[in-house]
Amino acid sequence: MTEDSADGLETLLRRIRACRICVEAPQGNPLPHEPRPVVVGSRKARVLIAGQAPGTRVHASGLPFDDRSGDRLRDWLGVDRAAFYDPDLFAIVPMGFCFPGLDAKGGDLPPRKECAPAWRSSLLAEMPQIELVLVIGQYAQSWHLGDERSRTLTETVADWRRLLQLDRSPRVLPLPHPSWRNTGWLKRNPWFERELLPVLREGIYRLVMKRKRKPD
């Protein structure tokens, strides 16, 4: 890693964290509160976590997956909070950087439409060392997999073996959202914990934990 490349990433991250496009030039209704972009970029991490958008608790803390969903995701990965929040180990780049607000039923709105077109390609280009992208939920799967994804999220995640073996770099592994609202989905799809999670944890161990104390 050169000093120029590190500076380029840090400059881009500063621009993203100062972004107000969803208020000043929104697609549709503007963001209903002050923007607080949440993103973790890295020039060392081998794994990128591509989620949906921050929720209310993450909006308050500024820490990605700082909620029960994060607890479940860390369990899926087989890592503790210290490893998860080490930017040398994981980059965390949601599809929408800001909490999008709540719908009429009290659920989170979809990720803002402005974020990905404005920032995603340039940010990923600044992290060429990424070897594995974990695409969480339908919005991340749509962007990262395109026509390779299936009709539904369940079908896409069930197709994980083929998707993981595609001739592409970085490799992409689809996951459901770790929200506790998806507990029913996990019960209806026991193959996820039985078959996919062991492969995920082995990959995380190889790419992250095994090299944690090794110098680059």
Side-chain angles (χ1 to χ4, degrees):
M1 178 180 67
T2 67
E3 184 175 346
D4 287 343
S5 64
D7 287 345
L9 176 60
E10 288 305 313
T11 297
L12 183 57
L13 288 171
R14 284 195 296 271
R15 292 176 59 201
I16 291 172
R17 290 169 181 144
C19 179
R20 296 181 55 82
I21 189 173
C22 54
V23 172
E24 297 173 355
Q27 296 185 34
N29 294 328
L31 192 72
H33 49 259
E34 190 68 13
R36 188 180 191 182
V38 177
V39 58
V40 177
S42 171
R43 271 287 185 165
K44 292 184 178 181
R46 298 295 193 270
V47 177
L48 185 145
I49 298 171
Q52 293 193 153
T56 53
R57 181 167 175 176
V58 173
H59 178 69
S61 70
L63 196 63
F65 288 101
D66 184 26
D67 51 22
R68 294 181 69 199
S69 295
D71 293 337
R72 174 173 271 171
L73 178 58
R74 287 182 280 276
D75 178 67
W76 286 356
L77 302 177
V79 301
D80 58 18
R81 286 180 65 92
F84 185 80
Y85 289 119
D86 185 340
D88 288 349
L89 303 180
F90 291 99
I92 306 175
V93 183
M95 296 305 301
F97 296 127
C98 291
F99 170 52
L102 300 175
D103 62 23
K105 296 181 179 180
D108 291 357
L109 289 168
R112 296 290 307 191
K113 296 180 180 180
E114 301 89 351
C115 292
W119 301 111
R120 199 163 193 84
S121 293
S122 56
L123 182 54
L124 297 182
E126 290 288 345
M127 297 185 287
Q129 83 289 346
I130 295 293
E131 297 182 36
L132 177 65
V133 181
L134 305 178
V135 285
I136 298 173
Q138 61 178 328
Y139 299 102
Q141 290 164 15
S142 177
W143 200 93
H144 284 272
L145 291 171
D147 292 341
E148 292 290 347
R149 70 185 182 117
S150 300
R151 182 176 57 88
T152 67
L153 180 142
T154 298
E155 291 172 351
T156 299
V157 178
D159 197 27
W160 66 272
R161 291 182 179 85
R162 182 186 69 84
L163 295 172
L164 190 60
Q165 293 171 1
L166 289 176
D167 184 16
R168 60 187 298 168
S169 180
R171 293 177 301 139
V172 177
L173 180 64
L175 300 174
H177 197 281
S179 168
W180 289 89
R181 295 183 179 183
N182 280 341
T183 297
W185 186 95
L186 295 172
K187 291 180 178 179
R188 293 190 301 271
N189 297 277
W191 52 266
F192 174 77
E193 294 184 333
R194 183 178 63 245
E195 301 171 17
L196 190 154
L197 284 191
V199 174
L200 171 61
R201 288 169 180 156
E202 189 280 330
I204 296 301
Y205 176 77
R206 177 174 55 83
L207 291 173
V208 177
M209 304 309 294
K210 191 173 182 179
R211 57 174 289 274
K212 184 175 180 181
R213 294 183 176 84
K214 292 183 179 180
D216 288 343

